[in-house]
Amino acid sequence: MTPIAAPHVEYALIAPLLIVTAGAVLATLAEALLPRRGRFGVQAGLAFLTVLVALADTVSVYQSLAPIPGTSGGPGGRGQISTEGALAVDGPGVLTWGMLLVFALLSLALFAERRLEGGLSAFTGRAADAPGSPGEAEARAAGLEHTEVFPLALFAVLGMMVFATANDLLTMFVALEVMSLPLYVLCGLARRRRMLSQEAAMKYFLLGAFSSAFFAYGIALSYGFAGGVRHVDIARAVALRTDGGNLLLGAIALMAVGLLFKVGAVPFHSWTPDVYQGAPTPVTAFMAAGTKAAAMMALMRVMFVSFGGAAIDWRPMVFAVAVVTMVLGSLVAIAQTDIKRMLGYSSVAHAGFLLLGVGATFAAAGQITSISSIVFYLFVYGVATIGAFAIVTMVRGSAETGGEATHLSHWAGLGKVSPALAGAFALFLLSFAGLPLTSGFIGKWGIFAAAMSGGFWPLVVLGVVVSAIAAYFYVRVIVVMFFTEPVGDGPDVAVPGALTTVVIATAAIVTLALGIVPGPALDLAQHAGLFVQ
Amino acid sequence: MMLSTLILTPLVGAVIVGMLPRTSTTGAKVVAIGFSLATLAASLVMLSDYEPGAAGFQFAEQHTWIKPFGAYYAVGVDGIGVTLILLTTVLTPIVLLAAWYDNLPDGRGVGGYLAWMLALEGLAVGVFAATDAFLFYVFFEATLIPIYFLLGSYGSGSRTYAAIKFLIYNLVGGLLMLASVVGLYVVTSQAGEASYLLSDLADLDLGTNVERLLFLGFMAAFAIKAPLWPLHTWLPDAAASATPSTAVLMVSVIDKVGTFGMLRWGLGLFPDAAEWATPAVIALAVISIVYGALLAIGQDDVRRLIAFTSVSHFGFIVLGLFALTSTSTGGATLYMFNHGLSTAALFLVTGMLIARHGSASIASFGGVQKVAPVLSGLLLVAGLSSLSLPGLAPFVSEFMVLVGTFSRYPVAAIIAVSGIVLAALYILVMYQRTMTGPLREDNAHITDLRTIEVAALAPAIVLIVGLGFFPQPLLKVINPAVDATLAHVGAADPAPQSPPGLSAGETHAAPGEGGHE
C-alpha cells in the first residue's frame, strides 16, 4: 500500500493568488469583528495594501518565470504548470495577473471615493431596505455604508486571476463562480436608482447562472470526449481524434457560450448594457475592465491550448461571432442616449475586435501574435474604460437629484464647464475609436496585424469599416461636450476627491503614453510568449 | 534636426498659445503669429540649404520608434516635400494674420482657435516630411483632430454637421489606408525584418494582387482627402462652415496631402498597381475637372463655389500626376503650390467680404466695388489666378499639366481644357454679380479692407504674380525629385513626334516653363 503523497504546490509561484486570498479572508474577518465606525478606512486600506503587495509579488514572479524555447523556431513561452496541474503560471497568465491587479487598484480607488456623495461611498447604506422606504432614509441619515464591497471586490479579483490561469476545466469553473458571485452582489448595491441597480444584478445573476450551466455542460462533454479535464488531456485527445467528433464540437460550442457570455459577445451580450447602466459606476468600471480581460484570456487558453488542434472547426464560429459582435455593437451604440449604456455597447464592439484577434491564432517568430496583441489591447482598453467611468461618476445632475447625470443631453457644454475633464473624456473616446497617438490605435493595429498575418485580410477591411461606424458615436459625444451649447448652467461637475483625480490622471497619462511610446509595453507582451501546456 | 524643428516649433507654439489666459486676445494673436513666422524663417533657412540636384532625401533623421512594428521616426525631404512644406509655412502666418478680426461663436476663446491652427501646421509639416509609412499614417490621421475642432467649435452655420461629415469621410479613408499599412507590416515581416521605412518599402517585391490591394487602400484615403469625384461631397459642406482661415488650411494645405500622398506613397510604393489603375484615376480626374467646374457655376454660396473650383483644380493635379510625364507630373507638383496660394487668396478675400456683410450668398451682393475698391481689386486678382490667367502662377502649372498629359492621353487633355473655359465662367460671373453693377442699398455699409487684412493678403498676391512670371526657382527644386519618382515608377516620356534632325532637347523644352535639363 503506497502512502498518500502530499500534493506538490509551488507556493512562491502562486504567491500573488495566496496574497489576494489572505487579504480577502482578513477583510471578511475585519467586517465581522471591527466596530462600524472606522471600518471603512480599515477595509479600504487593507484592500489597497493587498492589491499593492500582490502586484509587487506578481512582478517578481514574472521575472522568475523560466523561459521555454519554442518548437521549430516559433516563439517560445515562459513559466510552468504548477499546483499539480491545476494552474498554468505562464507569461501571458502572469501578465494578466498584473493587468487585473492594476485594474483592481484603479477601481478600488473609485470604490473608496467618498467625496462625490457628500462623505459617503457610491454604495447603498443598507441593501436590505426596500428602495424608497423609510429605512433607506434612516440608513442615509445614520451614514451607514456597506464596507463589504472591499472583500467582495478582492474575491472577484481572485476569481479573475485564477480564471485567467486555470489549467483544467474544473478549476476554471470554480474560478468563474468565484469571480461572478461577488460581482452579482456588487452590481445591486448602487446608492441611487436602486431599482435599476437591483434589476441589473438580478438580470446579471440569472443570465450568468444560465451561461455557467452551459459552460458546465461543455466541461462534461469535454470529459466525455477526452476522458480528462486538463487542457493537456483534451489537447491530446483532439490531436488523436479519428472521426469528426460531434462530441468535441458540442463541447467547444457549449464552452464557448459560457465564455462568450462573460466576454460580452453577440448574441450573449444582452446583459451588458443593462448591467453597465444599473451597476454602481465604480463596479461598472471594475467589471468592464477586469471581467473582459479575465474572460478573454480564459477563452484564448481554452481555444488555443485545449482545442488548438481543432482550430479549423472553431475558427469560423469565432469569426462569425466577431463580425456580428463588431457590427451590432457599433450600430446599436449609435442609438444610445445614456452614456453608460453607450459605453456598454462600445464594450460589446470591442469584444468583437478582440475576437478577431482570437480567430487569427497566428504565431510566428518575431511577429505580433494573437496573444500579445490581445494582452496589449485588453490593458489599454481596460485603463481607458476605468478612466471614462471615473469621469462618469463626476458629472452630476441638478441639485435636487444629485446623482450621476448619465443622459447624453446633460453632458452638453461640459467642455465649457470643465475643459480638463471633457478633454480627458475626449481622449478616452478617441482611444476607443482607435485614432493615432492614443493607445487604442496601437491596440487596434496589433489586432489587425495579427489577423492579417493569418491571411484574413477581408476581415481586417471589415474591421476598419466598422471602426469608422464606431467612431461616429464616440465623436458624437465629443460634439455634445464641446460644440453644443449647455442647457442652463450646464452640467454640474462634482469636486472630486484626490482618489478619483488620480485615477483619471493615471488613465489619461497611460492612454497617451502607450499611444506615443508603446514599444516597451509591446515588448513585454511579446516577451510573455505563448501559453504553456 | 531641421525638420524636427519645423515640426516642433508650431506644436510648442500651439501649447503655449493654448495656455495663455482667455483675456489676452491680442497677446495670443501676436504670440501665434510670432511662432508661425519663426517656423517660416526656419523653413527659408532649410530652402537655402537645400541642394536641388542631390539624390535622395535631405535633412534626413532616423530614430527607432516602435521596434516590434518596424516603425521609425524617420523624416526627410525631396524637392516635392520642400515645396509643400514651404507652402505650409508661408500660408500659416498669412491665415493667422487674416484671422485677426474673425468673429468666433459666443464664448469661444481666440487662443484655442489659433492654437489648433498652429498644431495643424506642425502636423502638416510632419506629413510632408515623414519617410516612414507608419509615421506618415500617424501624422495623416492626427491632422483630422485640429480640423475637426476648428470646424466644430469655431465654424458657423451647420458647423457640427460639417465637422462630423468631414471626420467620418476622412476617417473611413484613413482606416482603409490603415488596413494597407498593416498589410505592409505583414509583407515586410514575412520577408524578414518588419520595417516601415520608405527606403525598405520601395524595394519590396510584392505580388500583383497584394500590390493592387495595398494600393487601393492608400488610394482610397488620398482620393477622399484630395477630394476626387465622387468622394468630394464633404468638402463643400466643410468649406461653407469653416472660418476663412480654417478653409485655407484645410483646402490649400491638408488636402494637398492627398495629391502628395498619391505621388510619394501611391506611385512610390506601388508603381505597377498605379499603372494598372491609371485609366480609372485619369477618368475620375477628368470627371472631377468638369463636374467641379459645372457645379461651381451653379453655386450661390461663395464658399461652396470656391470649394467646387478646388474639386476641379484637384482634378487637374491628379490628372497631371497620373499622366506620368515629366512635364505633367512636375506641373502638377507646381500646381499644388500655386493652387494653395490662389485658393488661399480667394478664401481669405471672400471671407473678409462675407464677414462685413453677414451673408455668403452671391445674390445678396451687388456693386461692392464702389464702396470697397481694394477688396474688389484683390478679389479680381485672386479670381483671375484661380482661372489661370497667363501671368499669374496657376497658369504655368495648369499649362504644364495639359501639355504633358496631351502627349500621353490626348483625349483626357482635350476634355480637361474645358475646365479652363468653365473656370472663366464661374469666376467672372461671380465677380460680376458681386462687385460690378449698381451698388445695392444693403451693401453700402461694406467697408474696405483694413491695414492688417491687406498685410495678410499682400504676400499671397505677390507670390502669385511673382511665380506667374518666374516659376523657375520652384521648378528647379521640383523637377529633379519628380524625375527621380518617374524613374522609380519606370515611366519614360512619350517619344516626341517631331521631324528627325531636331535634337531631343529642343523638342522637349516646353517654351519658357517646364524646361528640364
Side-chain angles (χ1 to χ4, degrees):
Chain A
M1 194 178 135
T2 51
I4 298 170
H8 178 67
V9 178
E10 293 84 350
Y11 290 104
L13 267 184
I14 61 164
L17 297 177
L18 300 177
I19 293 167
V20 177
T21 314
V25 170
L26 270 180
T28 313
L29 285 176
E31 193 62 39
L33 299 177
L34 288 182
R36 189 182 290 276
R37 275 174 32 128
R39 204 195 285 160
F40 192 91
V42 173
Q43 289 285 24
L46 184 61
F48 276 120
L49 189 70
T50 306
V51 172
L52 275 177
V53 173
L55 190 56
D57 193 48
T58 303
V59 173
S60 79
V61 167
Y62 184 83
Q63 283 164 345
S64 74
L65 294 179
I68 304 165
T71 49
S72 63
R78 52 194 61 249
Q80 65 183 88
I81 304 292
S82 77
T83 331
E84 299 287 340
L87 292 173
V89 185
D90 54 10
V94 178
L95 218 51
T96 313
W97 287 358
M99 173 157 77
L100 290 168
L101 289 166
V102 171
F103 293 164
L105 202 60
L106 293 174
S107 311
L108 282 172
L110 299 182
F111 277 49
E113 174 66 59
R114 296 164 96 185
R115 188 145 172 201
L116 294 169
E117 286 285 355
L120 293 172
S121 69
F123 300 95
T124 176
R126 203 157 55 188
D129 291 323
S133 67
E136 189 182 36
E138 186 188 301
R140 182 171 182 84
L144 298 185
E145 285 173 291
H146 270 301
T147 47
E148 291 93 335
V149 293
F150 292 103
L152 284 172
L154 286 178
F155 275 118
V157 172
L158 175 68
M160 288 173 186
M161 288 168 74
V162 176
F163 197 42
T165 46
N167 193 46
D168 69 51
L169 297 179
L170 287 182
T171 312
M172 197 171 258
F173 185 75
V174 173
L176 175 70
E177 294 307 312
V178 173
M179 163 178 106
S180 302
L181 288 170
L183 287 178
Y184 299 146
V185 179
L186 286 171
C187 282
L189 291 181
R191 175 174 290 279
R192 297 175 183 275
R193 297 164 90 187
R194 289 186 56 204
M195 293 294 273
L196 207 61
S197 168
Q198 293 180 358
E199 183 194 322
M202 192 67 187
K203 235 177 214 169
Y204 192 25
F205 171 68
L206 285 179
L207 290 174
F210 203 46
S211 80
S212 293
F214 273 98
F215 190 66
Y217 206 153
I219 293 175
L221 290 189
S222 301
Y223 183 77
F225 172 77
V229 288
R230 286 199 297 177
H231 288 321
V232 63
D233 299 333
I234 299 169
R236 193 180 303 123
V238 169
L240 295 176
R241 72 186 159 141
T242 47
D243 60 347
N246 287 337
L247 207 54
L248 173 67
L249 294 185
I252 294 176
L254 290 173
M255 289 182 65
V257 171
L259 291 164
L260 290 175
F261 173 85
K262 288 291 167 195
V263 170
V266 177
F268 316 108
H269 68 291
S270 53
W271 60 276
T272 318
D274 291 339
V275 175
Y276 276 37
Q277 185 188 17
T281 307
V283 175
T284 313
F286 176 54
M287 207 168 56
T291 311
K292 182 149 297 188
M296 207 68 212
M297 295 311 286
L299 175 72
M300 275 206 291
R301 195 180 287 280
V302 169
M303 289 303 180
F304 288 11
V305 181
S306 272
F307 301 129
I312 198 160
D313 293 319
W314 56 256
R315 181 175 290 133
M317 179 271 289
V318 168
F319 276 149
V321 172
V323 168
V324 179
T325 306
M326 284 191 294
V327 172
L328 199 89
S330 304
L331 285 180
V332 180
I334 294 176
Q336 300 307 312
T337 51
D338 183 287
I339 204 108
K340 285 171 85 176
R341 284 185 83 80
M342 193 211 81
L343 288 173
Y345 277 106
S346 136
S347 112
V348 172
H350 282 282
F353 286 113
L354 286 159
L355 287 172
L356 208 57
V358 175
T361 51
F362 187 78
Q367 295 214 353
I368 305 287
T369 61
S370 283
I371 298 176
S372 66
S373 66
I374 287 178
V375 167
F376 185 85
Y377 196 109
L378 284 170
F379 182 71
V380 299
Y381 168 75
V383 170
T385 301
I386 293 176
F389 279 113
I391 292 174
V392 172
T393 64
M394 283 174 58
V395 180
R396 302 260 151 177
S398 51
E400 72 265 20
T401 56
E404 290 163 6
T406 55
H407 197 276
L408 205 51
S409 62
H410 291 140
W411 285 54
L414 185 67
K416 229 174 242 180
V417 177
S418 176
L421 204 62
F425 201 72
L427 175 69
F428 298 137
L429 292 174
L430 292 178
S431 176
F432 292 147
L435 257 74
L437 300 180
T438 64
S439 57
F441 166 67
I442 306 288
K444 224 161 231 175
W445 190 96
I447 297 275
F448 287 155
M452 209 176 242
S453 297
F456 307 106
W457 66 265
L459 287 167
V460 175
V461 173
L462 187 76
V464 299
V465 172
V466 174
S467 297
I469 299 175
Y472 173 73
F473 63 80
Y474 296 125
V475 164
R476 216 181 41 154
V477 179
I478 298 182
V479 166
V480 169
M481 289 193 302
F482 285 97
F483 305 162
T484 312
E485 294 305 316
V487 186
D489 293 340
D492 278 354
V493 174
V495 182
L499 290 169
T500 308
T501 313
V502 168
V503 169
I504 295 172
T506 312
I509 290 169
V510 169
T511 301
L512 211 53
L514 289 184
I516 296 171
V517 276
L522 282 167
D523 279 337
L524 187 64
Q526 288 279 73
H527 179 257
L530 305 180
F531 294 124
V532 300
Q533 311 227 349
Chain B
M1 287 309 290
M2 192 72 217
L3 287 168
S4 295
T5 314
L6 278 176
I7 295 171
L8 282 176
T9 310
L11 289 177
V12 170
V15 173
I16 292 175
V17 172
M19 289 196 309
L20 290 176
R22 286 174 79 95
T23 44
S24 69
T25 51
T26 312
K29 289 171 187 169
V30 171
V31 173
I33 292 170
F35 270 98
S36 69
L37 287 176
T39 316
L40 173 63
S43 72
L44 291 176
V45 171
M46 178 183 76
L47 183 68
S48 69
D49 288 351
Y50 181 80
E51 293 170 33
F57 288 96
Q58 301 183 33
F59 309 105
E61 296 166 43
Q62 184 178 324
H63 308 282
T64 307
W65 178 23
I66 308 174
K67 197 150 189 323
F69 293 4
Y72 293 80
Y73 175 78
V75 289
V77 283
D78 58 5
I80 304 164
V82 164
T83 311
L84 289 168
I85 289 176
L86 200 64
L87 174 68
T88 311
T89 56
V90 166
L91 283 182
T92 308
I94 292 178
V95 298
L96 289 176
L97 197 60
W100 197 275
Y101 297 113
D102 272 358
N103 287 321
L104 300 179
D106 285 344
R108 308 282 177 190
V110 73
Y113 177 53
L114 302 178
W116 281 122
M117 288 204 252
L118 278 176
L120 190 57
E121 179 186 17
L123 296 173
V125 173
V127 176
F128 294 129
T131 53
D132 176 284
F134 192 86
L135 185 69
F136 171 78
Y137 178 77
V138 167
F139 277 128
F140 182 84
E141 289 284 84
T143 57
L144 298 183
I145 303 294
I147 300 186
Y148 173 64
F149 278 97
L150 283 170
L151 285 175
S153 279
Y154 304 100
S156 57
S158 53
R159 54 194 162 99
T160 307
Y161 168 77
I164 293 191
K165 191 168 177 182
F166 161 81
L167 192 72
I168 296 299
Y169 260 75
N170 283 280
L171 210 53
V172 169
L175 284 165
L176 288 173
M177 182 163 122
L178 174 65
S180 285
V181 169
V182 171
L184 283 177
Y185 160 81
V186 173
V187 174
T188 56
S189 67
Q190 280 171 357
E193 192 151 342
S195 167
Y196 272 121
L197 287 176
L198 181 60
S199 49
D200 292 341
L201 295 175
D203 299 336
L204 270 184
D205 191 20
L206 302 162
T208 310
N209 284 331
V210 174
E211 184 176 342
R212 287 178 184 176
L213 286 170
L214 295 181
F215 172 77
L216 286 179
F218 274 83
M219 202 58 197
F222 299 148
I224 289 176
K225 190 66 104 187
L228 213 52
W229 183 89
L231 305 170
H232 65 281
T233 61
W234 62 271
L235 183 67
D237 288 321
S241 302
T243 65
S245 298
T246 306
V248 171
L249 286 178
M250 185 173 68
V251 177
S252 292
V253 178
I254 297 301
D255 285 357
K256 295 298 181 315
V257 177
T259 45
F260 167 81
M262 288 178 198
L263 187 55
R264 172 168 295 171
W265 299 99
L267 291 169
L269 295 188
F270 318 106
D272 298 336
E275 211 179 332
W276 160 74
T278 298
V281 177
I282 297 265
L284 289 180
V286 171
I287 295 176
S288 294
I289 293 171
V290 179
Y291 179 87
L294 285 176
L295 260 74
I297 295 173
Q299 297 304 313
D300 182 50
D301 184 318
V302 186
R303 294 166 301 194
R304 295 181 73 87
L305 186 148
I306 302 172
F308 277 110
T309 69
S310 289
V311 172
S312 179
H313 291 152
F314 274 112
F316 276 109
I317 297 175
V318 174
L319 181 68
L321 290 180
F322 274 80
L324 289 179
T325 63
S326 54
T327 312
S328 72
T329 308
T333 309
L334 183 63
Y335 206 163
M336 292 189 216
F337 191 88
N338 291 340
H339 170 260
L341 289 177
S342 78
T343 305
L346 210 47
F347 264 126
L348 294 178
V349 182
T350 54
M352 291 163 188
L353 179 66
I354 293 164
R356 282 164 167 72
H357 186 45
S359 163
S361 163
I362 293 177
S364 74
F365 292 101
V368 178
Q369 190 194 11
K370 302 202 170 49
V371 285
V374 179
L375 192 157
S376 153
L378 289 176
L379 178 62
L380 187 61
V381 177
L384 292 177
S385 81
S386 181
L387 65 76
S388 298
L389 187 78
L392 298 176
F395 167 73
V396 180
S397 38
E398 201 160 291
F399 187 76
M400 283 171 72
V401 166
L402 288 172
V403 168
T405 307
F406 186 81
S407 66
R408 182 158 290 164
Y409 302 104
V411 177
I414 290 169
I415 302 175
V417 169
S418 68
I420 300 188
V421 181
L422 294 171
L425 202 58
Y426 58 66
I427 291 291
L428 292 179
V429 168
M430 183 265 284
Y431 182 80
Q432 184 194 4
R433 287 165 65 187
T434 54
M435 295 296 153
T436 61
L439 178 67
R440 275 173 64 125
E441 256 174 47
D442 58 348
N443 280 185
H445 67 283
I446 295 178
T447 51
D448 210 344
L449 295 184
R450 285 165 276 204
T451 317
I452 289 183
E453 291 170 330
V454 176
L457 288 168
I461 301 290
V462 167
L463 278 172
I464 289 174
V465 176
L467 286 171
F469 283 103
F470 195 53
Q472 268 78 3
L474 263 186
L475 281 172
K476 222 159 78 185
V477 172
I478 292 171
N479 279 337
V482 166
D483 290 343
T485 308
L486 290 178
H488 176 73
V489 175
D493 287 352
Q497 300 176 348
S498 50
L502 279 176
S503 76
E506 282 171 62
T507 55
H508 185 80
E513 287 91 27
H516 289 246
E517 282 101 60

